[in-house]
Amino acid sequence: SQTIHQWPATLVQPVGSPLSLECTVEGTSNPNLYWYRQAAGRGLQLLFYSVGIGQISSEVPQNLSASRPQDRQFILSSKKLLLSDSGFYLCAWSASDREAFFGQGTRLTVV
Amino acid sequence: TQLLEQSPQFLSIQEGENLTVYCNSSSVFSSLQWYRQEPGEGPVLLVTVVTGGEVKKLKRLTFQFGDARKDSSLHITAAQPGDTGLYLCAGGDFNKFYFGSGTKLNVKP
């Protein structure tokens, strides 16, 4: 069966510091991978998606970037965090446009 | 921009009551999904609907997809405290998923 791992679960970072969130998927090959951000109790905003190694599409211009160095690894990064980068970050994978499977999320607080 | 709007934004009801939440889209998607999310966790898929007019039932939950494939509803019969959570609809299109703003449901015992 397929599983998705996302870490860390919580993170407190100072303004101006770098960020690296990692997500890995097991049990499937060539998945579509996604990074979403969620404001408290609200919907999910699509940040990045990838259909293959090295193929990254950005949905929203921002202070973040994404990379996919391996087939089942997706990384969200920032060189210098802003206060507005705080939020709940979710990684997800899919094999079609009919269902997405999410990780447990990372609660990021920028102070 | 593909936009999905959900209503109501918040819903607080007593155990045993029925409820309906709505999802309306400005676009036609190839599929529409409903997810349920608990605090501090990722959303979990409840159902996917694909065909206009489709109705799916999952125990006490009934999902409908509008004929024009731009609107959907989720009806819960005899709500239970375990139904509490954030309900999200999402449209799937070309390997991307766009989410609505969510309905936060609280079922009081």
Side-chain angles (χ1 to χ4, degrees):
Chain A
S1 63
Q2 300 88 4
T3 56
I4 179 168
H5 303 281
Q6 184 182 344
W7 66 93
T10 60
L11 192 60
V12 180
Q13 291 285 99
V15 168
S17 64
L19 172 74
S20 181
L21 302 181
E22 190 163 343
C23 172
T24 60
V25 180
E26 297 176 357
T28 187
S29 297
N30 197 31
N32 300 317
L33 296 173
Y34 310 86
W35 280 109
Y36 286 88
R37 179 168 59 200
Q38 184 177 32
R42 305 298 291 152
L44 279 65
Q45 180 186 34
L46 179 61
L47 302 176
F48 300 96
Y49 72 98
S50 172
V51 298
I53 296 174
Q55 300 178 60
I56 309 294
S57 296
S58 173
E59 284 287 301
V60 181
Q62 59 210 314
N63 185 42
L64 303 168
S65 62
S67 62
R68 185 171 178 172
Q70 300 181 41
D71 181 45
R72 291 170 288 176
Q73 182 185 26
F74 207 23
I75 298 172
L76 183 69
S77 304
S78 174
K79 292 183 179 178
K80 290 185 177 181
L81 283 168
L82 306 172
L83 287 173
S84 58
D85 291 324
S86 294
F88 191 50
Y89 289 83
L90 288 155
C91 180
W93 76 272
S94 76
S96 72
D97 59 5
R98 294 196 176 191
E99 55 187 348
F101 302 92
F102 286 84
Q104 290 295 298
T106 296
R107 174 75 57 194
L108 172 65
T109 303
V110 183
V111 296
Chain B
T1 300
Q2 305 201 9
L3 181 65
L4 292 97
E5 295 185 351
Q6 289 187 241
S7 61
Q9 186 175 347
F10 299 99
L11 192 55
S12 183
I13 61 172
Q14 292 293 137
E15 182 176 2
E17 293 182 359
N18 301 332
L19 68 113
T20 303
V21 298
Y22 301 91
C23 175
N24 293 290
S25 170
S26 60
S27 303
V28 175
F29 292 99
S30 59
S31 72
L32 191 139
Q33 304 108 48
W34 284 92
Y35 295 79
R36 178 170 165 267
Q37 185 182 21
E38 299 201 24
E41 299 183 6
V44 176
L45 180 71
L46 296 173
V47 77
T48 299
V49 287
V50 177
T51 306
E54 185 175 0
V55 177
K56 282 192 174 180
K57 292 191 175 183
L58 185 66
K59 296 183 181 179
R60 294 177 292 101
L61 279 60
T62 301
F63 304 86
Q64 289 189 308
F65 200 18
D67 290 341
R69 295 170 59 213
K70 296 177 71 173
D71 59 281
S72 181
S73 65
L74 159 59
H75 181 80
I76 300 179
T77 303
Q80 299 176 1
D83 295 325
T84 293
L86 180 67
Y87 288 82
L88 296 158
C89 67
D93 195 35
F94 294 106
N95 295 313
K96 292 183 285 186
F97 299 91
Y98 296 96
F99 281 79
S101 52
T103 293
K104 194 166 186 180
L105 172 64
N106 180 36
V107 182
K108 295 175 284 187

